[in-house]
């Protein structure tokens, strides 16, 4: 088997350019010249327009990484803000090519909704944020609380499970968007706001007085967040999946946007395969051989993106925790590029 793989890999490649066999989503994107990427209506650290109106965040940067891989230019993205209710319909209908919108990977979504999750770009868990004046230290003390929650989310289902399982009562106060949920919390329509814990830190920044609220330590669910595509287009699914894998592998191998040009002279076979000098290159994906080099050069490795958007170099100042690499105590582990 190893000899067969060697023989196949040694067959001459007619061109470093993207093969002409692109079909489906990739062919349409190459023709239109940009990717339609579904993002949130505004969640700092994940996808949010800055003061200049430019979209930024870890999910936004993943959209840019896919654009760099497929079109060679990270700016070739049209951002389409979607509420939690709208996001799956927009993906299913073709309104967006890629959903990169802090979306939890679940069995139901992965099967019944006709979509495929390409991996996990942020491991999260649902938590609670309270007004500091409540002076409570645990979610176990929330019996009878009014809870602000966004509709159409796993958050809404998880909080119902949490209170029912513990035979506690609560009054859900439901909103369509993050902004409305925060406004309801600030207006005193609820005692507690619940969503993914990373989102709580982001939403807390939007309060008129961030110091007035406290994020409780409790985590009540597993929320593996990741990009998703429509089912039925394996080529596009593989492109999105391997773009994420390339960013994770790049961090593990110490290849960044700052040193990737120097890595052309590396004698590490893993690095040479990563940046498209040796190995399978781009043919199997229908992309240029330098697709992964463009991802790293233009956007960076996973660690660079994390630190910039949600990590200690960002206003959120979230520690890597379980989002660290597997060899640094975290959960991030990407298949080898060979």
């Amino acid at each position: 088997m190893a000899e067969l793989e060697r023989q196949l890999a040694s067959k001459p490649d007619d061109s470093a350019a993207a093969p002409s066999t692109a079909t489906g989503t990739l062919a349409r994107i190459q023709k239109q010249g940009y990717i339609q990427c579904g993002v949130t209506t505004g969640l700092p650290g994940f996808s949010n327009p800055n003061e200049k109106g430019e979209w930024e965040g870890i999910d936004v940067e993943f959209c840019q990484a896919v654009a760099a891989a497929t079109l060679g230019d990270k700016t070739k993205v049209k951002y389409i803000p979607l509420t939690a209710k709208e996001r799956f319909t927009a993906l299913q209908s073709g309104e967006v090519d890629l959903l990169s919108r802090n979306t939890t990977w679940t069995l139901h979504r992965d099967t019944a909704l006709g979509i495929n999750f390409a991996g996990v770009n942020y491991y999260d868990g649902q938590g609670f944020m309270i007004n500091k004046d409540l002076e409570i230290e645990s979610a176990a003390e929330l019996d009878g609380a009014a809870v602000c929650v966004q509709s159409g989310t796993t958050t809404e289902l998880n909080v119902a499970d949490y209170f029912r399982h513990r035979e506690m009562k609560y009054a859900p106060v439901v909103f369509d968007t993050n902004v409305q949920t925060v406004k309801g919390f600030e207006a005193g329509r609820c005692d507690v706001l619940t969503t993914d814990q990373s989102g709580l830190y982001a939403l807390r920044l939007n309060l008129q007085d961030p110091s007035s609220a406290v994020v409780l330590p409790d985590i009540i669910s597993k929320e593996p967040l990741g990009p998703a595509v429509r089912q039925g287009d394996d080529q596009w699914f593989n492109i999105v999946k391997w773009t994420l894998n390339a960013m994770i592998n790049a961090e593990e191998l110490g290849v960044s946007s700052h040193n990737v040009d120097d890595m052309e002279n590396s004698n590490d076979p893993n690095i040479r395969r990563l940046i498209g000098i040796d190995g399978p290159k781009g043919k199997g994906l229908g992309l240029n051989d330098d697709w992964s080099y463009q991802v790293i050069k233009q956007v960076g490795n996973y660690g660079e993106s994390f630190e910039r958007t949600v990590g200690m170099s960002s206003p959120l100042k979230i520690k890597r925790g379980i989002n660290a690499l597997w060899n640094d105590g975290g959960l991030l582990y990407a298949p080898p590029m060979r």
Side-chain angles (χ1 to χ4, degrees):
M1 180 63 71
E3 176 62 19
L4 176 59
E5 289 181 349
R6 186 192 65 76
Q7 292 174 3
L8 290 173
S10 66
K11 286 186 177 181
D13 190 2
D14 295 334
S15 170
S20 59
T21 55
T23 59
T25 306
L26 176 61
R28 181 168 51 76
I29 286 171
Q30 290 175 336
K31 183 177 181 179
Q32 70 190 15
Y34 59 88
I35 291 173
Q36 299 170 122
C37 198
V39 295
T40 68
T41 52
L43 182 63
F46 287 82
S47 50
N48 194 56
N50 61 23
E51 62 278 1
K52 297 179 182 178
E54 300 165 336
W55 284 91
E56 58 186 16
I58 195 169
D59 287 338
V60 168
E61 292 199 2
F62 185 72
C63 299
Q64 294 172 353
V66 177
T70 55
L71 300 171
D73 186 343
K74 74 172 186 177
T75 69
K76 301 298 185 181
V77 183
K78 180 180 179 182
Y79 301 103
I80 301 177
L82 301 167
T83 65
K85 280 185 176 180
E86 297 168 336
R87 57 185 163 175
F88 299 121
T89 301
L91 182 59
Q92 293 161 342
S93 68
E95 181 183 349
V96 297
D97 306 306
L98 168 63
L99 185 66
S100 185
R101 192 204 171 282
N102 66 304
T103 298
T104 303
W105 185 354
T106 70
L107 169 65
H108 174 73
R109 292 172 176 177
D110 207 29
T111 54
L113 297 188
I115 65 177
N116 281 328
F117 284 84
V120 178
N121 72 333
Y122 191 95
Y123 289 94
D124 211 344
Q126 186 170 331
F128 298 94
M129 180 168 67
I130 62 166
N131 188 303
K132 188 165 62 175
D133 292 341
L134 285 181
E135 297 183 343
I136 65 174
E137 298 180 356
S138 167
E141 301 173 65
L142 291 175
D143 192 16
V147 180
C148 283
V149 62
Q150 188 177 355
S151 63
T153 61
T154 55
T155 304
E156 190 177 15
L157 303 176
N158 291 337
V159 73
D161 287 346
Y162 179 81
F163 279 88
R164 182 173 58 250
H165 176 66
R166 286 158 182 78
E167 298 183 346
M168 295 163 55
K169 295 182 179 179
Y170 80 108
V173 184
V174 182
F175 300 91
D176 285 335
T177 68
N178 279 319
V179 173
Q180 293 171 346
T181 309
V182 173
K183 287 182 177 178
F185 177 73
E186 280 195 295
R189 294 188 58 186
C190 55
D191 305 302
V192 57
L193 187 156
T194 184
T195 189
D196 297 343
Q197 195 171 67
S198 62
L200 293 175
Y201 285 107
L203 295 175
R204 185 173 173 268
L205 294 177
N206 289 334
L207 298 177
Q208 292 183 358
D209 178 14
S211 65
S212 67
V214 174
V215 177
L216 296 177
D218 308 75
I219 298 292
I220 68 168
S221 70
K222 293 189 295 184
E223 304 295 331
L225 310 180
V229 298
R230 285 181 297 281
Q231 289 181 6
D233 189 337
D234 287 348
Q235 181 184 46
W236 182 240
F237 175 47
N238 284 335
I239 288 169
V240 175
K241 174 171 56 180
W242 280 100
T243 297
L244 177 58
N245 289 338
M247 294 179 73
I248 296 171
N249 276 317
E251 182 183 8
E252 182 177 338
L253 293 170
V255 182
S256 71
S257 60
H258 304 291
N259 67 17
V260 65
D261 287 325
D262 299 329
M263 294 297 174
E264 183 178 343
N265 299 316
S266 173
N267 61 4
D268 184 334
N270 295 299
I271 290 177
R272 294 179 66 83
R273 285 191 291 266
L274 172 69
I275 62 177
I277 297 175
D278 297 331
K281 302 185 178 180
K283 185 176 181 181
L285 296 172
L287 300 178
N288 291 338
D289 287 346
D290 69 345
W291 70 271
S292 51
Y293 164 85
Q294 296 297 340
V295 170
I296 300 165
K297 180 65 177 178
Q298 296 187 41
V299 180
N301 64 39
Y302 178 86
E304 288 181 277
S305 182
F306 184 98
E307 289 305 318
R308 236 184 344 251
T309 57
V310 298
M312 300 306 290
S313 298
S314 77
L316 272 66
K317 298 193 180 304
I318 297 175
K319 296 180 180 179
R320 285 294 290 269
I322 58 175
N323 287 292
L325 294 173
W326 67 279
N327 54 5
D328 196 28
L331 298 177
L332 285 187
Y333 184 105
M337 298 181 67
R338 62 177 309 139

